[in-house]
Amino acid sequence: MPRISVIVPAYNAQDCLGKCIESILAQSFTNLELIVIDDGSVDTTAEICDAWAAKDSRVRVLHKENGGVSRARNSGLDMATGELISFVDADDHILPEAYETMLRAMEEYSADTALCNFTAEAPDGTLSAYGAHIPGGRYETEQTEEMIVRSLLCDRLSATFNGFVWCYLFDRKCIEEHKIRFTGAYLEDELFLIEYFSLGRTLAVTDAELYRYCLNPASVTRKYLKNYPETFRVSFDIKKELVKKYSIAVDADWEYTTMWAGLLIAVANEFAPGNPAGKAEKVKNLRALCRDSVFAPAVRAYKPRGMGRNKTVVASLIRMKQYGLLAALYNFKNRNRS
């Protein structure tokens, strides 16, 4: 039995998958299996997966119809045999000492889960800080619930915590016992983390930045998502179910702040590359978004606080119903964006 099962979902990843796989197989800790899920790719991703499997017996490949990252990760979880689970995105990579360092931290701090810090990498190789740096050490269950669970439910406007699953080593026994799986096409990481850390997990954090998050202009987080409001609605409903299921202590206004966070993403999404709508239609869409039942209660009843300048300006224009001015602001901001 391998100690770690590494799950990599891959869709049309021919330009980056090789570097990702190589970084995993080059780990100083070698007792691992690599499960690559070819999610219905139409480029040469399938051939790349099979070539690596032929070279290294630790590589297992599943070719499946395209179903999105959540289904791909779930397929990997169904195949995994390791004691611990790691997720790596196909367009990212990890440093050679990543797993050895994280395992050492788990042993040192007697924790059942590990977390490493990460650095953003631009296409030209330039490294930069991305998100909050988590100080190294042991985090008790009360601390993980506060830092992770409550942050992902109550602090989405200030975005104090990054809801990514790919910088952890998770306990597979916990995942399987509680049947934790990914849901949806967006925000699926947050839901997974909320449920996992609502189950009393201790966490060992290493200060080292061992994961390279590659800034990919074609990433799903930067593309236009046609059905984003419905995607958000599903995610929001699941969050409410998790709050009830695990009796999570949340702020009284957490639903309003979550709605506002979703609305700000929905507004930005209207101006993402790939949206075929013209300027007039985008203004109409902005008005419809603010009247949508999943966002409208917060717009009517709650003034968001604690945000940065840009979000504060956008929220103010929404509350004043200045949709034309809001569209002009985004058009100016994105004038050089393809």
Side-chain angles (χ1 to χ4, degrees):
M1 179 184 294
R3 183 81 187 277
I4 301 173
S5 294
V6 186
I7 299 172
V8 177
Y11 174 70
N12 290 350
Q14 64 181 16
D15 295 332
C16 53
L17 182 59
K19 184 175 183 180
C20 173
I21 292 176
E22 187 172 7
S23 75
I24 296 166
L25 298 180
Q27 288 294 298
S28 56
F29 181 83
T30 60
N31 184 19
L32 57 84
E33 66 176 353
L34 170 56
I35 302 171
V36 187
I37 309 299
D38 168 29
D39 191 29
S41 300
V42 296
D43 61 1
T44 62
T45 293
E47 290 82 354
I48 294 171
C49 293
D50 292 340
W52 279 102
K55 288 194 293 185
D56 195 312
S57 61
R58 295 176 296 172
V59 180
R60 302 167 62 196
V61 177
L62 174 66
H63 301 288
K64 61 183 289 295
E65 293 183 359
N66 180 253
V69 66
S70 287
R71 291 182 181 178
R73 285 176 176 162
N74 290 341
S75 295
L77 286 172
D78 292 340
M79 295 172 61
T81 62
E83 175 186 342
L84 300 169
I85 297 290
S86 169
F87 299 100
V88 179
D89 284 354
D91 51 356
D92 297 337
H93 53 275
I94 55 178
L95 299 190
E97 67 275 16
Y99 294 136
E100 182 180 1
T101 304
M102 295 171 77
L103 287 169
R104 188 184 306 120
M106 287 181 68
E107 293 168 1
E108 178 182 353
Y109 297 120
S110 298
D112 51 48
T113 309
L115 167 68
C116 72
N117 282 281
F118 57 93
T119 303
E121 183 173 318
D124 64 0
T126 302
L127 302 179
S128 61
Y130 190 91
H133 182 94
I134 310 300
R138 175 184 165 92
Y139 290 75
E140 304 295 341
T141 57
E142 297 83 0
Q143 293 172 299
T144 61
E145 289 169 3
E146 181 67 28
M147 179 177 72
I148 300 175
V149 177
R150 279 181 45 81
S151 290
L152 293 175
L153 287 169
C154 303
D155 299 332
R156 301 327 290 150
L157 288 174
S158 57
T160 56
F161 187 82
N162 302 298
F164 304 127
V165 296
W166 35 246
C167 44
Y168 293 85
L169 283 177
F170 294 102
D171 178 6
R172 187 171 73 90
K173 182 178 179 181
C174 173
I175 293 172
E176 294 308 311
E177 283 185 354
H178 297 277
K179 298 180 173 59
I180 306 174
R181 289 296 186 267
F182 290 90
T183 305
Y186 193 66
L187 304 175
E188 71 285 345
D189 286 24
E190 291 189 4
L191 299 174
F192 188 95
L193 290 172
I194 289 169
E195 183 157 21
Y196 181 87
F197 283 102
S198 292
L199 294 165
R201 301 290 91 189
T202 55
L203 180 66
V205 178
T206 173
D207 274 313
E209 296 170 340
L210 303 171
Y211 191 99
R212 291 289 184 262
Y213 172 58
C214 296
L215 300 174
N216 179 6
S219 169
V220 67
T221 59
R222 292 170 174 78
K223 292 191 298 185
Y224 173 63
L225 300 174
K226 183 178 180 180
N227 299 316
Y228 175 78
E230 182 57 30
T231 299
F232 172 81
R233 192 187 314 273
V234 171
S235 171
F236 189 30
D237 287 344
I238 295 174
K239 282 186 176 181
K240 289 185 282 189
E241 292 173 4
L242 292 175
V243 168
K244 183 178 180 179
K245 178 178 180 179
Y246 294 105
S247 301
I248 301 172
V250 290
D251 298 340
D253 58 1
W254 84 271
E255 291 191 16
Y256 283 151
T257 59
T258 300
M259 291 178 194
W260 265 108
L263 177 57
L264 294 176
I265 294 173
V267 169
N269 181 56
E270 277 300 309
F271 299 91
N275 185 358
K279 293 181 180 179
E281 187 177 357
K282 287 180 180 178
V283 173
K284 180 181 177 180
N285 291 343
L286 290 177
R287 185 178 293 108
L289 282 172
C290 296
R291 294 175 178 175
D292 190 297
S293 61
V294 76
F295 302 126
V299 175
R300 289 194 303 265
Y302 187 79
K303 181 179 180 180
R305 301 180 294 273
M307 302 180 296
R309 183 183 64 179
N310 291 346
K311 288 183 179 180
T312 299
V313 170
V314 172
S316 297
L317 292 175
I318 289 172
R319 298 182 74 242
M320 292 187 293
K321 300 181 181 181
Q322 295 293 324
Y323 307 118
L325 184 56
L326 183 57
L329 176 68
Y330 267 96
N331 287 329
F332 178 78
K333 177 185 174 182
N334 297 339
R335 63 193 182 279
N336 296 322
R337 188 178 179 186
S338 58

